[in-house]
PDB file of all heavy atoms in Angstrom:
ATOM      1  N   LEU A 580      23.339  21.176 -27.619  1.00  0.00           N
ATOM      2  CA  LEU A 580      24.270  20.769 -26.589  1.00  0.00           C
ATOM      3  C   LEU A 580      25.768  21.021 -27.015  1.00  0.00           C
ATOM      4  O   LEU A 580      26.140  20.625 -28.151  1.00  0.00           O
ATOM      5  CB  LEU A 580      24.058  19.288 -26.301  1.00  0.00           C
ATOM      6  CG  LEU A 580      24.846  18.722 -25.094  1.00  0.00           C
ATOM      7  CD1 LEU A 580      24.147  19.166 -23.792  1.00  0.00           C
ATOM      8  CD2 LEU A 580      24.944  17.190 -25.136  1.00  0.00           C
ATOM      9  N   LEU A 585      29.132  21.081 -20.242  1.00  0.00           N
ATOM     10  CA  LEU A 585      30.051  20.237 -19.432  1.00  0.00           C
ATOM     11  C   LEU A 585      30.741  20.991 -18.354  1.00  0.00           C
ATOM     12  O   LEU A 585      31.731  20.521 -17.785  1.00  0.00           O
ATOM     13  CB  LEU A 585      31.065  19.552 -20.379  1.00  0.00           C
ATOM     14  CG  LEU A 585      30.459  18.655 -21.479  1.00  0.00           C
ATOM     15  CD1 LEU A 585      31.609  18.075 -22.295  1.00  0.00           C
ATOM     16  CD2 LEU A 585      29.610  17.590 -20.891  1.00  0.00           C
ATOM     17  N   LEU A 594      24.768  14.843 -11.628  1.00  0.00           N
ATOM     18  CA  LEU A 594      25.052  13.562 -11.011  1.00  0.00           C
ATOM     19  C   LEU A 594      24.325  13.437  -9.679  1.00  0.00           C
ATOM     20  O   LEU A 594      23.858  12.331  -9.335  1.00  0.00           O
ATOM     21  CB  LEU A 594      26.577  13.397 -10.841  1.00  0.00           C
ATOM     22  CG  LEU A 594      27.411  13.380 -12.146  1.00  0.00           C
ATOM     23  CD1 LEU A 594      28.892  13.213 -11.785  1.00  0.00           C
ATOM     24  CD2 LEU A 594      26.932  12.200 -13.022  1.00  0.00           C
ATOM     25  N   LEU A 611      13.423   6.296 -22.301  1.00  0.00           N
ATOM     26  CA  LEU A 611      14.147   7.553 -22.530  1.00  0.00           C
ATOM     27  C   LEU A 611      14.545   7.655 -24.006  1.00  0.00           C
ATOM     28  O   LEU A 611      15.366   6.888 -24.468  1.00  0.00           O
ATOM     29  CB  LEU A 611      15.284   7.682 -21.587  1.00  0.00           C
ATOM     30  CG  LEU A 611      16.122   8.952 -21.719  1.00  0.00           C
ATOM     31  CD1 LEU A 611      15.316  10.132 -21.275  1.00  0.00           C
ATOM     32  CD2 LEU A 611      17.375   8.930 -20.861  1.00  0.00           C
ATOM     33  N   ILE A 613      16.430   9.831 -26.510  1.00  0.00           N
ATOM     34  CA  ILE A 613      17.438  10.944 -26.629  1.00  0.00           C
ATOM     35  C   ILE A 613      17.644  11.290 -28.128  1.00  0.00           C
ATOM     36  O   ILE A 613      18.040  10.420 -28.942  1.00  0.00           O
ATOM     37  CB  ILE A 613      18.777  10.519 -26.075  1.00  0.00           C
ATOM     38  CG1 ILE A 613      18.578  10.210 -24.558  1.00  0.00           C
ATOM     39  CG2 ILE A 613      19.850  11.595 -26.251  1.00  0.00           C
ATOM     40  CD1 ILE A 613      19.874   9.675 -23.899  1.00  0.00           C
ATOM     41  N   VAL A 619      29.448  15.925 -28.977  1.00  0.00           N
ATOM     42  CA  VAL A 619      29.949  16.077 -27.582  1.00  0.00           C
ATOM     43  C   VAL A 619      29.167  15.146 -26.671  1.00  0.00           C
ATOM     44  O   VAL A 619      29.615  14.982 -25.510  1.00  0.00           O
ATOM     45  CB  VAL A 619      29.732  17.556 -27.146  1.00  0.00           C
ATOM     46  CG1 VAL A 619      28.287  17.848 -26.911  1.00  0.00           C
ATOM     47  CG2 VAL A 619      30.566  17.823 -25.908  1.00  0.00           C
ATOM     48  N   PHE A 620      28.074  14.552 -27.133  1.00  0.00           N
ATOM     49  CA  PHE A 620      27.283  13.655 -26.208  1.00  0.00           C
ATOM     50  C   PHE A 620      28.075  12.537 -25.662  1.00  0.00           C
ATOM     51  O   PHE A 620      27.875  12.231 -24.449  1.00  0.00           O
ATOM     52  CB  PHE A 620      26.006  13.165 -27.019  1.00  0.00           C
ATOM     53  CG  PHE A 620      25.223  12.202 -26.179  1.00  0.00           C
ATOM     54  CD1 PHE A 620      24.457  12.603 -25.126  1.00  0.00           C
ATOM     55  CD2 PHE A 620      25.236  10.884 -26.509  1.00  0.00           C
ATOM     56  CE1 PHE A 620      23.716  11.716 -24.331  1.00  0.00           C
ATOM     57  CE2 PHE A 620      24.463   9.926 -25.825  1.00  0.00           C
ATOM     58  CZ  PHE A 620      23.746  10.378 -24.687  1.00  0.00           C
ATOM     59  N   PRO A 621      28.875  11.794 -26.391  1.00  0.00           N
ATOM     60  CA  PRO A 621      29.613  10.674 -25.787  1.00  0.00           C
ATOM     61  C   PRO A 621      30.440  11.059 -24.543  1.00  0.00           C
ATOM     62  O   PRO A 621      30.606  10.258 -23.656  1.00  0.00           O
ATOM     63  CB  PRO A 621      30.470  10.193 -26.902  1.00  0.00           C
ATOM     64  CG  PRO A 621      29.786  10.541 -28.158  1.00  0.00           C
ATOM     65  CD  PRO A 621      29.116  11.863 -27.786  1.00  0.00           C
ATOM     66  N   VAL A 622      30.932  12.351 -24.587  1.00  0.00           N
ATOM     67  CA  VAL A 622      31.686  12.822 -23.416  1.00  0.00           C
ATOM     68  C   VAL A 622      30.724  12.941 -22.152  1.00  0.00           C
ATOM     69  O   VAL A 622      31.128  12.434 -21.072  1.00  0.00           O
ATOM     70  CB  VAL A 622      32.342  14.177 -23.696  1.00  0.00           C
ATOM     71  CG1 VAL A 622      33.153  14.645 -22.471  1.00  0.00           C
ATOM     72  CG2 VAL A 622      33.202  14.099 -24.895  1.00  0.00           C
ATOM     73  N   LEU A 623      29.572  13.467 -22.388  1.00  0.00           N
ATOM     74  CA  LEU A 623      28.615  13.597 -21.269  1.00  0.00           C
ATOM     75  C   LEU A 623      28.145  12.218 -20.836  1.00  0.00           C
ATOM     76  O   LEU A 623      28.028  11.930 -19.653  1.00  0.00           O
ATOM     77  CB  LEU A 623      27.421  14.410 -21.704  1.00  0.00           C
ATOM     78  CG  LEU A 623      26.370  14.695 -20.682  1.00  0.00           C
ATOM     79  CD1 LEU A 623      26.874  15.461 -19.473  1.00  0.00           C
ATOM     80  CD2 LEU A 623      25.156  15.483 -21.265  1.00  0.00           C
ATOM     81  N   TRP A 624      27.908  11.320 -21.792  1.00  0.00           N
ATOM     82  CA  TRP A 624      27.408   9.974 -21.496  1.00  0.00           C
ATOM     83  C   TRP A 624      28.438   9.262 -20.651  1.00  0.00           C
ATOM     84  O   TRP A 624      28.084   8.528 -19.705  1.00  0.00           O
ATOM     85  CB  TRP A 624      27.121   9.224 -22.732  1.00  0.00           C
ATOM     86  CG  TRP A 624      26.651   7.899 -22.540  1.00  0.00           C
ATOM     87  CD1 TRP A 624      27.327   6.706 -22.830  1.00  0.00           C
ATOM     88  CD2 TRP A 624      25.431   7.430 -21.906  1.00  0.00           C
ATOM     89  NE1 TRP A 624      26.605   5.565 -22.493  1.00  0.00           N
ATOM     90  CE2 TRP A 624      25.427   6.000 -21.907  1.00  0.00           C
ATOM     91  CE3 TRP A 624      24.311   8.039 -21.356  1.00  0.00           C
ATOM     92  CZ2 TRP A 624      24.380   5.253 -21.421  1.00  0.00           C
ATOM     93  CZ3 TRP A 624      23.284   7.338 -20.943  1.00  0.00           C
ATOM     94  CH2 TRP A 624      23.297   5.930 -20.885  1.00  0.00           C
ATOM     95  N   THR A 625      29.731   9.412 -20.941  1.00  0.00           N
ATOM     96  CA  THR A 625      30.765   8.733 -20.235  1.00  0.00           C
ATOM     97  C   THR A 625      30.731   9.195 -18.720  1.00  0.00           C
ATOM     98  O   THR A 625      31.041   8.395 -17.863  1.00  0.00           O
ATOM     99  CB  THR A 625      32.149   9.041 -20.787  1.00  0.00           C
ATOM    100  OG1 THR A 625      32.151   8.607 -22.204  1.00  0.00           O
ATOM    101  CG2 THR A 625      33.260   8.278 -20.032  1.00  0.00           C
ATOM    102  N   LEU A 626      30.420  10.437 -18.507  1.00  0.00           N
ATOM    103  CA  LEU A 626      30.445  10.995 -17.126  1.00  0.00           C
ATOM    104  C   LEU A 626      29.248  10.502 -16.342  1.00  0.00           C
ATOM    105  O   LEU A 626      29.381  10.186 -15.155  1.00  0.00           O
ATOM    106  CB  LEU A 626      30.413  12.503 -17.194  1.00  0.00           C
ATOM    107  CG  LEU A 626      31.656  13.214 -17.794  1.00  0.00           C
ATOM    108  CD1 LEU A 626      31.430  14.690 -17.920  1.00  0.00           C
ATOM    109  CD2 LEU A 626      32.858  12.964 -16.830  1.00  0.00           C
ATOM    110  N   VAL A 627      28.071  10.418 -16.950  1.00  0.00           N
ATOM    111  CA  VAL A 627      26.844  10.151 -16.142  1.00  0.00           C
ATOM    112  C   VAL A 627      26.441   8.658 -16.129  1.00  0.00           C
ATOM    113  O   VAL A 627      25.764   8.200 -15.281  1.00  0.00           O
ATOM    114  CB  VAL A 627      25.620  11.033 -16.699  1.00  0.00           C
ATOM    115  CG1 VAL A 627      25.984  12.452 -16.604  1.00  0.00           C
ATOM    116  CG2 VAL A 627      25.226  10.613 -18.071  1.00  0.00           C
ATOM    117  N   SER A 628      26.795   7.913 -17.215  1.00  0.00           N
ATOM    118  CA  SER A 628      26.314   6.523 -17.284  1.00  0.00           C
ATOM    119  C   SER A 628      26.660   5.650 -16.107  1.00  0.00           C
ATOM    120  O   SER A 628      25.926   4.780 -15.741  1.00  0.00           O
ATOM    121  CB  SER A 628      26.793   5.888 -18.615  1.00  0.00           C
ATOM    122  OG  SER A 628      28.197   5.866 -18.671  1.00  0.00           O
ATOM    123  N   PRO A 629      27.876   5.831 -15.509  1.00  0.00           N
ATOM    124  CA  PRO A 629      28.193   4.923 -14.329  1.00  0.00           C
ATOM    125  C   PRO A 629      27.238   5.133 -13.151  1.00  0.00           C
ATOM    126  O   PRO A 629      27.132   4.249 -12.282  1.00  0.00           O
ATOM    127  CB  PRO A 629      29.582   5.350 -13.912  1.00  0.00           C
ATOM    128  CG  PRO A 629      30.174   5.964 -15.152  1.00  0.00           C
ATOM    129  CD  PRO A 629      29.041   6.634 -15.805  1.00  0.00           C
ATOM    130  N   PHE A 630      26.524   6.294 -13.116  1.00  0.00           N
ATOM    131  CA  PHE A 630      25.590   6.537 -12.019  1.00  0.00           C
ATOM    132  C   PHE A 630      24.122   6.079 -12.318  1.00  0.00           C
ATOM    133  O   PHE A 630      23.219   6.272 -11.470  1.00  0.00           O
ATOM    134  CB  PHE A 630      25.608   8.054 -11.676  1.00  0.00           C
ATOM    135  CG  PHE A 630      26.893   8.553 -11.183  1.00  0.00           C
ATOM    136  CD1 PHE A 630      27.830   9.033 -12.077  1.00  0.00           C
ATOM    137  CD2 PHE A 630      27.164   8.617  -9.821  1.00  0.00           C
ATOM    138  CE1 PHE A 630      29.115   9.428 -11.608  1.00  0.00           C
ATOM    139  CE2 PHE A 630      28.361   9.081  -9.340  1.00  0.00           C
ATOM    140  CZ  PHE A 630      29.344   9.460 -10.207  1.00  0.00           C
ATOM    141  N   ILE A 631      23.935   5.470 -13.471  1.00  0.00           N
ATOM    142  CA  ILE A 631      22.630   5.043 -13.875  1.00  0.00           C
ATOM    143  C   ILE A 631      22.540   3.531 -13.760  1.00  0.00           C
ATOM    144  O   ILE A 631      23.434   2.780 -14.206  1.00  0.00           O
ATOM    145  CB  ILE A 631      22.324   5.471 -15.296  1.00  0.00           C
ATOM    146  CG1 ILE A 631      22.384   7.085 -15.439  1.00  0.00           C
ATOM    147  CG2 ILE A 631      20.930   5.029 -15.762  1.00  0.00           C
ATOM    148  CD1 ILE A 631      22.301   7.535 -16.856  1.00  0.00           C
ATOM    149  N   ASP A 632      21.408   3.105 -13.114  1.00  0.00           N
ATOM    150  CA  ASP A 632      21.154   1.681 -12.923  1.00  0.00           C
ATOM    151  C   ASP A 632      21.164   0.916 -14.258  1.00  0.00           C
ATOM    152  O   ASP A 632      20.694   1.478 -15.258  1.00  0.00           O
ATOM    153  CB  ASP A 632      19.871   1.449 -12.157  1.00  0.00           C
ATOM    154  CG  ASP A 632      19.609   0.041 -11.911  1.00  0.00           C
ATOM    155  OD1 ASP A 632      20.167  -0.515 -10.998  1.00  0.00           O
ATOM    156  OD2 ASP A 632      18.724  -0.504 -12.625  1.00  0.00           O
ATOM    157  N   THR A 635      17.808   0.673 -15.871  1.00  0.00           N
ATOM    158  CA  THR A 635      17.378   2.006 -16.418  1.00  0.00           C
ATOM    159  C   THR A 635      18.066   2.185 -17.837  1.00  0.00           C
ATOM    160  O   THR A 635      17.515   2.709 -18.734  1.00  0.00           O
ATOM    161  CB  THR A 635      17.656   3.066 -15.454  1.00  0.00           C
ATOM    162  OG1 THR A 635      17.018   2.836 -14.193  1.00  0.00           O
ATOM    163  CG2 THR A 635      17.175   4.453 -15.983  1.00  0.00           C
ATOM    164  N   ARG A 636      19.390   1.858 -17.795  1.00  0.00           N
ATOM    165  CA  ARG A 636      20.146   2.114 -19.002  1.00  0.00           C
ATOM    166  C   ARG A 636      19.612   1.353 -20.184  1.00  0.00           C
ATOM    167  O   ARG A 636      19.734   1.835 -21.369  1.00  0.00           O
ATOM    168  CB  ARG A 636      21.630   1.666 -18.725  1.00  0.00           C
ATOM    169  CG  ARG A 636      22.662   2.626 -19.260  1.00  0.00           C
ATOM    170  CD  ARG A 636      24.045   2.186 -19.047  1.00  0.00           C
ATOM    171  NE  ARG A 636      24.283   2.056 -17.578  1.00  0.00           N
ATOM    172  CZ  ARG A 636      25.411   1.522 -17.059  1.00  0.00           C
ATOM    173  NH1 ARG A 636      26.257   1.056 -17.835  1.00  0.00           N
ATOM    174  NH2 ARG A 636      25.584   1.387 -15.775  1.00  0.00           N
ATOM    175  N   LYS A 637      19.037   0.216 -19.966  1.00  0.00           N
ATOM    176  CA  LYS A 637      18.469  -0.562 -21.047  1.00  0.00           C
ATOM    177  C   LYS A 637      17.285   0.085 -21.712  1.00  0.00           C
ATOM    178  O   LYS A 637      16.814  -0.241 -22.822  1.00  0.00           O
ATOM    179  CB  LYS A 637      17.997  -1.977 -20.511  1.00  0.00           C
ATOM    180  CG  LYS A 637      19.177  -2.844 -20.062  1.00  0.00           C
ATOM    181  CD  LYS A 637      18.659  -4.144 -19.449  1.00  0.00           C
ATOM    182  CE  LYS A 637      19.821  -4.964 -18.888  1.00  0.00           C
ATOM    183  NZ  LYS A 637      19.306  -6.156 -18.165  1.00  0.00           N
ATOM    184  N   PHE A 639      17.184   3.239 -22.585  1.00  0.00           N
ATOM    185  CA  PHE A 639      17.615   4.395 -23.388  1.00  0.00           C
ATOM    186  C   PHE A 639      17.652   4.095 -24.872  1.00  0.00           C
ATOM    187  O   PHE A 639      18.182   3.059 -25.301  1.00  0.00           O
ATOM    188  CB  PHE A 639      19.065   4.814 -22.944  1.00  0.00           C
ATOM    189  CG  PHE A 639      19.084   5.519 -21.600  1.00  0.00           C
ATOM    190  CD1 PHE A 639      18.189   5.234 -20.643  1.00  0.00           C
ATOM    191  CD2 PHE A 639      20.026   6.505 -21.362  1.00  0.00           C
ATOM    192  CE1 PHE A 639      18.259   5.885 -19.355  1.00  0.00           C
ATOM    193  CE2 PHE A 639      20.101   7.110 -20.128  1.00  0.00           C
ATOM    194  CZ  PHE A 639      19.188   6.777 -19.127  1.00  0.00           C
ATOM    195  N   ILE A 641      18.954   6.121 -28.277  1.00  0.00           N
ATOM    196  CA  ILE A 641      19.711   7.319 -28.692  1.00  0.00           C
ATOM    197  C   ILE A 641      19.646   7.461 -30.161  1.00  0.00           C
ATOM    198  O   ILE A 641      19.979   6.491 -30.900  1.00  0.00           O
ATOM    199  CB  ILE A 641      21.138   7.224 -28.136  1.00  0.00           C
ATOM    200  CG1 ILE A 641      21.104   7.035 -26.618  1.00  0.00           C
ATOM    201  CG2 ILE A 641      21.934   8.515 -28.489  1.00  0.00           C
ATOM    202  CD1 ILE A 641      22.479   6.790 -25.994  1.00  0.00           C
TER     203      ILE A 641
END
Side-chain angles (χ1 to χ4, degrees):
L580 188 76
L585 301 181
L594 296 179
L611 179 63
I613 300 177
V619 73
F620 174 72
V622 180
L623 181 61
W624 178 249
T625 302
L626 293 172
V627 302
S628 60
F630 295 86
I631 300 173
D632 181 77
T635 304
R636 221 180 300 173
K637 295 175 184 176
F639 285 33
I641 303 173

